[in-house]
Amino acid sequence: MKVLITGGAGFIGSTIASACQDEGIEPILLDNLSTGRPEFTAGRTLYQGDIADGDLIDRIFHDHPDIHAVINCAARIVVPESVADPLGYYDANVTKGLALVTHLLRNGCHRLVFSGSAAIYDSGQAITEDAPLKPLSPYARTKAAFEGALEDITGGTDLRVVTLRYFNPIGADPKLRTGLQTTKPTHALGVMIDRYGAGEPFPVTGTDWPTRDGSGIRDYVHVWDLAAAHIAAVRHFDTVVSGDQPHYLPINLGSGNGTTVFELIKAFEDVTGEPLAHHLTSARPGDNAGAYPAIDRAHALLGWTPAHTLQEGIAAALEWNAKRNTILKDE
């Protein structure tokens, strides 16, 4: 089996490609390398270019007419950047995504697994796929807008879509073929690793949220578990979105119970064997209690549950962070 992975040189896409290879699936990568890394494409078929380039998509399907499905991981994802450049985000995440769909349909490809985002939900705990959407940033709104378009398109074409919604991927490929390429991640664990390495205290922003210990709650899932979920979506695709089944199906991925900031600190200390210096601060403007999704649908339809613990994700992230600069050659 072959799958086309757009954004296949990025953190998520390249890790899915690694998992595909381990499962006997041949990944075909499409990436413009604007943020993806050429090191992540070694030994893999790469087409460098834009997902909106119809001629390139046609060439890929001419070269590989046996592509079974497409996993679309191509997107711009930095929330503050989306606030500064909303037009660029709508162009990359919506306009070009729609162009990709047009090119896929023209080439007779009707199976699309979309790497979505649980950031489209309102804050809350154990959020189901049927919960109302409340995207709060231009980034999140582009993801919600594209999801809406995909659902409409499946109603009037042969396109079928499984969308996987998740929050913060952590960890790395267990064989360290791929990992987080940025040196300055903005999620809590990334900041924690940075502060730990610099010997600086980690800030806990707000301690009176309506959570089990008062600190904000977020969701973290090992990137290797995410890769497994994408493969499961490809393997179960025709069962869950074909025939009499819905033609568009969102599925949450996550831990199933979320992680508070204090729990993240404790897990980090479990891994390092050292206390993590931290200090309590007031909540920042725009902060909220946080959210995590329910994952019952993923288990029922894909047979998927996370296999890796939070501690394993932290340990993998620390291992990758220690070796990143020997694997990626930054200029």
Side-chain angles (χ1 to χ4, degrees):
M1 181 189 294
K2 291 182 181 178
V3 295
L4 172 62
I5 305 175
T6 67
F11 176 37
I12 306 297
S14 65
T15 306
I16 294 171
S18 294
C20 282
Q21 288 182 311
D22 291 354
E23 290 285 322
I25 299 171
E26 181 180 350
I28 309 300
L29 311 185
L30 170 60
D31 201 296
N32 64 9
L33 299 184
S34 59
T35 57
R37 299 299 302 237
E39 296 94 332
F40 292 164
T41 70
R44 299 170 184 173
T45 301
L46 169 69
Y47 290 83
Q48 184 175 347
D50 199 284
I51 62 171
D53 185 339
D55 291 339
L56 178 57
I57 301 297
D58 291 348
R59 179 157 62 90
I60 292 171
F61 278 90
H62 177 270
D63 295 345
H64 305 278
D66 51 344
I67 287 173
H68 178 75
V70 174
I71 299 174
N72 182 18
C73 299
R76 296 175 66 181
I77 62 171
V78 181
V79 170
E81 184 181 72
S82 77
V83 175
D85 183 22
L87 183 58
Y89 267 66
Y90 274 90
D91 180 51
N93 295 355
V94 180
T95 304
K96 291 185 177 182
L98 292 174
L100 172 66
V101 170
T102 299
H103 305 323
L104 296 182
L105 288 172
R106 184 178 64 252
N107 282 280
C109 182
H110 304 135
R111 298 182 186 93
L112 177 64
V113 177
F114 176 54
S115 199
S117 174
I120 64 177
Y121 294 125
D122 197 357
S123 60
Q125 301 179 26
I127 300 169
T128 70
E129 292 86 351
D130 298 322
L133 306 184
K134 190 178 179 181
L136 297 178
S137 68
Y139 159 70
R141 283 190 282 273
T142 65
K143 300 295 275 191
F146 190 56
E147 275 207 38
L150 288 175
E151 184 171 9
D152 288 340
I153 293 166
T154 61
T157 70
D158 291 331
L159 184 72
R160 302 294 178 258
V161 178
V162 173
T163 290
L164 303 178
R165 298 171 176 168
Y166 53 89
F167 283 109
N168 298 304
I170 61 172
D173 168 14
K175 298 179 183 177
L176 295 185
R177 290 166 289 190
T178 57
L180 193 62
Q181 68 267 46
T182 179
T183 58
K184 291 294 181 182
T186 56
H187 60 73
L189 177 58
V191 174
M192 189 174 288
I193 291 173
D194 280 350
R195 296 294 177 90
Y196 172 74
E200 299 173 356
F202 173 78
V204 179
T205 54
T207 57
D208 58 356
W209 297 110
T211 63
R212 48 185 174 258
D213 61 17
S215 64
I217 197 164
R218 302 291 185 266
D219 198 65
Y220 304 93
V221 59
H222 200 297
V223 68
W224 200 242
D225 284 328
L226 286 185
H230 283 77
I231 292 175
V234 170
R235 293 198 185 280
H236 290 83
F237 196 96
D238 291 343
T239 302
V240 298
V241 289
S242 293
D244 295 333
Q245 302 301 319
H247 294 165
Y248 178 84
L249 182 67
I251 298 178
N252 289 339
L253 305 177
S255 66
N257 56 14
T259 300
T260 69
V261 177
F262 287 135
E263 289 168 348
L264 183 64
I265 290 172
K266 174 63 169 57
F268 194 89
E269 292 175 336
D270 290 343
V271 172
T272 63
E274 300 176 357
L276 178 71
H278 59 277
H279 62 98
L280 310 183
T281 68
S282 299
R284 302 160 298 187
D287 278 348
N288 58 41
Y292 66 89
I295 59 172
D296 304 272
R297 183 177 291 182
H299 179 66
L301 298 183
L302 303 182
W304 179 90
T305 52
H308 296 83
T309 65
L310 175 63
Q311 286 83 356
E312 287 172 332
I314 293 170
L318 286 166
E319 184 179 12
W320 171 261
N321 187 68
K323 296 183 179 179
R324 177 195 177 280
N325 291 340
T326 66
I327 299 170
L328 301 183
K329 309 302 181 184
D330 290 326
E331 297 179 357

